[in-house]
Amino acid sequence: MEVIILPTAEEASEVAARLVARQIREKPDSTLGLATGGTPCKLYQLLVRMHQAEGLDFSRVSTFNLDEYIGLDPSHPASYHRVMEVDFFSQVNIARERSHIPDGMAKDVRAHCASYERAIKDAGGIDLQVLGLGSDGHLGFNEPGSSLASHTRIKTLTERTRSDNERFFTDGHEVPHHVITMGLGNIMESRMCLLLAFGIGKAQAVAASVEGPVTASVPGSLLQFHPRAKVLLDAESASLLIRSDYYQWVYKNKPIWQTHL
Ligand code: F6R
């Protein structure tokens, strides 16, 4: 696990955007795993800017979003279909037939999850998985207690997550209780993970994920077992880390052969 601490969320998002761009330039038909929520918004803005200003080409890229609320129509402003379309897909040259998001309106959820899994396999697996972190330590919508080997399936949100996400529901619509989410097994099978976490509200979950014991009670801690996980933090979210000075020294003093940005 490489822990990268920068003063602001903006600066950490810039590093994330450069890593995603490098992945796409090195492998134009990369498969990206994508997250939603507040955390990756800046990352998507920066990728859009790179597309417009530098010609970063998404035409051969495939994407798989981590999750979607069950019962929200894709046109609902808080559905992840809508958010991804507005914030990202409509602004880059990504092929819609290669942009996948779980279908929260699926009649047969189990069959849909199985076909989502097949589509990930058919795309060659996920090269780079973007992740946010729940204030309760969740990854995707894998709430505490989720199986560490899980794959795409239905999950029930905790009240904490529902209350954290109320801010995205401005039309009086309640935050759904149920979601479809890729599992922790999917995340572990991805070839590289980029976990982003910003703000003081994430500090405890970050400390537990990065420096605590690996446990299903803190899904983020599973990344300690991932062979290629980078954790991008701002000063606030990193504020409870015991080895923060060490991580910062390591990042600033990388040998030249190891610097990749
Ligand atoms: C959303 C997702 C979630 C969020 C997490 C943090 O696709 O996978 O794990 O990343 O709930 O949400 P924000 O970024 O809104 O704090």
Side-chain angles (χ1 to χ4, degrees), residues 35-40 66-67 80 132-134 138-141 167-168 202:
T36 44
T39 307
L66 282 164
D67 38 27
Y80 291 157
L133 185 65
H138 70 225
L139 293 179
F141 275 141
R167 67 195 198 279
F168 299 115
K202 299 292 172 72

Side-chain angles (χ1 to χ4, degrees), residues 34 44 47-48 51-52 58 63 80-96 99 101:
L34 299 178
Y44 294 135
L47 290 172
V48 167
H51 168 67
Q52 291 166 348
F58 292 83
T63 62
Y80 291 157
H81 278 78
R82 180 94 186 122
V83 169
M84 288 307 297
E85 183 60 28
V86 172
D87 291 353
F88 191 47
F89 296 152
S90 64
Q91 303 190 59
V92 294
N93 63 335
I94 206 154
R96 293 301 192 285
S99 308
I101 303 179

Side-chain angles (χ1 to χ4, degrees), residues 180-223:
I180 295 175
T181 182
M182 281 163 58
L184 295 170
N186 295 103
I187 291 167
M188 290 303 286
E189 284 155 17
S190 67
R191 293 176 192 102
M192 179 177 175
C193 284
L194 284 190
L195 174 67
L196 281 66
F198 307 136
I200 197 69
K202 299 292 172 72
Q204 278 187 348
V206 165
S209 297
V210 173
E211 294 180 338
V214 175
T215 165
S217 297
V218 183
S221 67
L222 185 57
L223 292 179

Side-chain angles (χ1 to χ4, degrees), residues 165-178:
N165 287 4
E166 262 168 18
R167 67 195 198 279
F168 299 115
F169 287 74
T170 51
D171 64 350
H173 193 295
E174 279 220 318
V175 182
H177 287 270
H178 294 108

